[in-house]
Amino acid sequence: MRQGNVSSALRALNENESGGVLPLTRETIRQLEEKHPPPSDLTGLRLQGMHIPPNSVIYEMITGEMVWKKSLQTHGSAGPSGLDARGWRRLLSNTICGSGASDLCSALAALARKLATTTCHHLDAFTACRLIPLDKKPGCRPIGIGEVIRRVVGKCIMAVVKEDVRRAAGNLQVCAGQQAGGEAAIHAMREIFAQEDCEAVLLVDARNAFNSINRKNNAS
């Protein structure tokens, strides 16, 4: 509570919540492997058509100041490196680390610009996650915690291209920055089902599709 983590404190008081982290046994590893199928190949609709990359000059908007502001908006636990969001904010703060913090912010801004404009290889450490098996009572809930630096860089890049992503996604992906997109989709379907001439079949896809997408690290 003193750290401001009200939700975590309430979960600690609720006996019906998660039972913590499962021990790393063969059964736990088997459950994790089942929930994380092999990634798909580089095929599909996302690669169809001519790829026209945006003008790289737009990423010059990513500066050290933007990195600092986005770090203030980044929260969460640490990835494999062990440095959480609070630790990164301390490193990027001029008040605490002086001029070295400005140099680090500028270096992260340069990294973001390079990732957005060139084809980069050997990003395993940058994209690595810490896999945590939580006890669902019963079952296993895998939680992947990536590096904080990856989240900060991602926020900086999305700050530049968010309007392009919103236009490209349109109404096919209501989570791509659309204002109240999920709520609008629910109300639209509710109105359609309420019509007398409406006939529909509800199909539920329970496959673990998110974890089966391509996760190769050799693309820009």
Side-chain angles (χ1 to χ4, degrees):
M1 290 293 292
R2 293 179 179 177
Q3 297 177 356
N5 298 327
V6 179
S7 59
S8 299
L10 292 176
R11 284 196 298 268
L13 297 175
N14 191 348
E15 297 180 354
N16 296 326
E17 287 292 338
S18 172
V21 180
L22 287 172
L24 193 59
T25 62
R26 290 187 177 182
E27 177 61 21
T28 302
I29 295 176
R30 184 191 65 81
Q31 294 184 38
L32 291 175
E33 290 176 347
E34 287 182 352
K35 295 178 181 294
H36 286 77
S40 62
D41 296 327
L42 286 170
T43 57
L45 181 63
R46 61 190 181 278
L47 291 181
Q48 295 180 6
M50 182 181 298
H51 174 60
I52 303 177
N55 195 327
S56 60
V57 72
I58 65 174
Y59 296 105
E60 294 300 321
M61 298 170 54
I62 302 177
T63 61
E65 183 180 0
M66 178 184 287
V67 170
W68 166 242
K69 290 181 179 179
K70 296 303 177 182
S71 70
L72 296 177
Q73 302 172 6
T74 305
H75 307 278
S77 301
S81 67
L83 190 62
D84 62 3
R86 182 177 301 175
W88 271 103
R89 283 196 296 273
R90 291 178 62 86
L91 288 180
L92 299 175
S93 172
N94 288 326
T95 305
I96 299 176
C97 297
S99 60
S102 298
D103 295 338
L104 180 57
C105 288
S106 298
L108 292 180
L111 172 62
R113 294 194 297 268
K114 182 175 183 179
L115 290 173
T117 57
T118 62
T119 299
C120 301
H121 302 276
H122 310 296
L123 297 175
D124 293 344
F126 181 75
T127 59
C129 290
R130 185 164 57 96
L131 188 59
I132 307 298
L134 297 182
D135 188 2
K136 288 181 61 176
K137 293 184 176 181
C140 171
R141 175 182 297 161
I143 302 295
I145 305 176
E147 291 290 354
V148 175
I149 184 177
R150 180 183 177 186
R151 296 175 233 165
V152 174
V153 168
K155 288 179 182 291
C156 292
I157 295 175
M158 286 305 301
V160 176
V161 300
K162 62 180 180 181
E163 293 299 331
D164 296 324
V165 172
R166 184 181 293 129
R167 286 194 296 268
N171 58 0
L172 295 179
Q173 176 53 272
V174 296
C175 296
Q178 307 292 355
Q179 294 269 343
E183 183 178 355
I186 293 174
H187 286 298
M189 292 303 300
R190 183 178 298 170
E191 292 180 0
I192 293 174
F193 277 121
Q195 298 176 6
E196 295 182 358
D197 58 347
C198 175
E199 296 181 359
V201 176
L202 180 62
L203 299 178
V204 178
D205 186 359
R207 292 176 300 174
N208 194 357
F210 181 80
N211 284 321
S212 63
I213 62 176
N214 184 273
R215 300 187 294 273
K216 293 184 178 179
N217 301 326
N218 59 352
S220 60

